[in-house]
Every structure is written in structure tokens, then in C-alpha cells.
Amino acid sequence: MAKKVTPYKDSELGKKDQVTQMFDNISENYDGLNRVISFGIDIKWRKRVVAILTAQQPKNILDIATGTGDLAINLIETGAKKIVGLDISPGMLEVGKKKITHKKLDNTIEMIVGDSENLPFKANSFDAITVAFGVRNFETLEKGLDEIYRVLAPGGTFVVLETSVPTKTPFKQGYNLYIKYMLPAIGKLFSKDKSAYTYLSESASVFPHGNAFNNILRKIGFIEVENKPQTFGVASIYVATK
């Protein structure tokens, strides 16, 4: 990233601990607020991630920064026999576990607390790995990507869904106004953690999107790297292979 952005400017905690605290704080309202903030378009983006992986027919999938499990639940459609959702926030996982139990998916989806930069898995463990709106929260981006590369099986697929910044007028200007003013305002109105959505907008604005992120993936060792801009470029789906 161009600069390090953290949720709580006055906190002495590291970014990782601050992110954990932030997501624990907003976990109860996260799903509903997410739909409002994205106008529901994030559902369509996740379906596109699922479609990409369905074509690969993975037997097992790791969903990092799984949060409340939206993508992990969607990944059932790939036909994978085992899906592991990993997140650093126990609060987010508790919400996700309730959703999974309600849908009777406990036999397929396992939710575990874990650190994306120190994954508790052996090398070459997963046919596919996904991260939706999570890589910008890594304390050390390249360390997290190194770990993902390590536990992904040779020939496996890595898919990232992340915010990006539109480059064309008037979408760029509209996005900048929304991310700088409207997103934090909506977050403050509906969330008890007033810093959270300011952080989420700031972290989105400085994340190395597009070719910059493609190049980081190639530096780690990924091949066949490509990014697919979504909805005028406000998000991107990155696909890479080990």
C-alpha cells in the first residue's frame, strides 16, 4: 500500500489487533450494512467468483477473511466437498456459524479463527483459495500472499474480490465522493463503531488495485494473473494460478 491505514488512529495496537477489534465491534450489523453500502451489487460479484471456481471443480476451498461466511456459503455451488472459512474476528465467525447451521451446511463448511499471515495448514493443502474484501486488511500484504501461495496446491486457483478505484470519468469522481463522504456517513449512522467505515473507505482508496496488485501477485510467484474490473471499476476480481 502507498501508506498504512489503521482503524483507530489513537490506538497503540498493531493493525492486525485493531482490525480484529473493529470487525468484532461491527459483526452484528455487518451483513445488513454491507447490502446498503454496496446497493446489493456485492451479491452479484460473489456469484461471479463462484462461477470462476465452479469451472475449476475444486475438491476443497479455503475462504480467507471469510467474515460472516457469505462467500463460503456461496461456494457450496462449486460442488466442493470441504470449505474452510478462516477469519481473525471471532465475532464475525459467530454470526457466520449461525447462518451455516441455519442452512444445514455444517458438514461441508468449517469456520475457524485464524491469521491470514500465519495459516494453520500444511503446504499444498487446498485446490482453491478465495479472499473477498479482505486482502486490504492484511497487516503485511506480501506476507499474507506468501502464506496463501504456500498452502495452495500446484495448479490451484486463487481468486480475490476487492475494491478498486474507477479510472474513467465520471465514475472516478462519483466513486471518490461516495467513498470519502457517503460511506463513512452511512457507517456512522448505522454502526456503533464510528471509526470502522472511515477506515474501510480509506483502506479501499490506498489499496494497490489493478496492474499494481497483478504485479505483486506475480512477484509472489503466481502465474496466469488477470484482473476483471466490476461495475465501472469500483471492484475487481483477480484470478491467479500456482
Side-chain angles (χ1 to χ4, degrees):
M1 287 191 185
K3 66 175 182 176
K4 189 171 184 178
V5 177
T6 57
Y8 307 109
K9 302 295 187 292
D10 298 327
S11 175
E12 295 182 359
L13 296 173
K15 179 176 180 179
K16 194 176 298 183
D17 290 331
Q18 289 190 42
V19 166
T20 303
Q21 180 182 339
M22 179 193 74
F23 280 113
D24 280 347
N25 287 344
I26 66 175
S27 58
E28 291 182 6
N29 298 319
Y30 182 79
D31 284 347
L33 203 47
N34 233 18
R35 298 296 96 82
V36 171
I37 287 170
S38 71
F39 305 105
I41 303 173
D42 61 306
I43 296 172
K44 182 184 292 185
W45 297 335
R46 287 187 178 89
K47 287 183 177 179
R48 290 174 180 166
V49 171
V50 171
I52 290 167
L53 286 182
T54 298
Q56 304 298 322
Q57 297 183 318
K59 294 180 181 178
N60 60 354
I61 304 173
L62 171 62
D63 182 39
I64 293 174
T66 195
T68 63
D70 276 352
L71 182 55
I73 291 168
N74 292 156
L75 288 168
I76 287 287
E77 297 175 23
T78 65
K81 301 300 182 185
K82 184 66 178 179
I83 299 166
V84 177
L86 177 141
D87 201 279
I88 201 168
S89 165
M92 295 286 274
L93 288 172
E94 283 305 310
V95 175
K97 287 176 182 177
K98 291 176 183 176
K99 289 158 62 174
I100 289 165
T101 298
H102 178 72
K103 293 177 179 292
K104 300 179 180 179
L105 297 174
D106 299 87
N107 291 334
T108 304
I109 302 176
E110 179 186 6
M111 302 286 269
I112 64 172
V113 176
D115 181 357
S116 58
E117 296 170 37
N118 186 23
L119 295 171
F121 309 109
K122 295 179 180 178
N124 309 322
S125 292
F126 294 94
D127 296 329
I129 299 177
T130 57
V131 188
F133 306 114
V135 288
R136 73 177 188 269
N137 297 321
F138 290 2
E139 185 162 36
T140 307
L141 178 59
E142 291 192 12
K143 185 176 180 182
L145 295 175
D146 266 327
E147 272 291 88
I148 289 168
Y149 187 85
R150 179 183 68 82
V151 303
L152 183 63
T157 304
F158 177 40
V159 184
V160 174
L161 170 59
E162 189 53 87
T163 55
S164 56
V165 179
T167 57
K168 295 181 179 180
T169 302
F171 307 113
K172 180 177 181 179
Q173 289 79 5
Y175 174 85
N176 287 337
L177 287 171
Y178 178 75
I179 207 78
K180 187 174 182 180
Y181 298 108
M182 293 183 66
L183 175 56
I186 293 170
K188 288 178 181 178
L189 186 62
F190 292 101
S191 173
K192 65 181 180 180
D193 190 324
K194 295 185 178 181
S195 299
Y197 288 87
T198 299
Y199 160 75
L200 291 173
S201 64
E202 289 179 355
S203 62
S205 68
V206 302
F207 185 77
H209 61 278
N211 285 331
F213 189 61
N214 290 346
N215 290 334
I216 294 172
L217 291 172
R218 293 188 183 103
K219 179 182 176 182
I220 297 298
F222 289 100
I223 59 174
E224 301 175 1
V225 177
E226 61 176 325
N227 68 291
K228 306 172 184 289
Q230 306 292 312
T231 316
F232 310 116
V234 302
S236 286
I237 295 174
Y238 302 86
V239 185
T241 304
K242 179 174 177 178

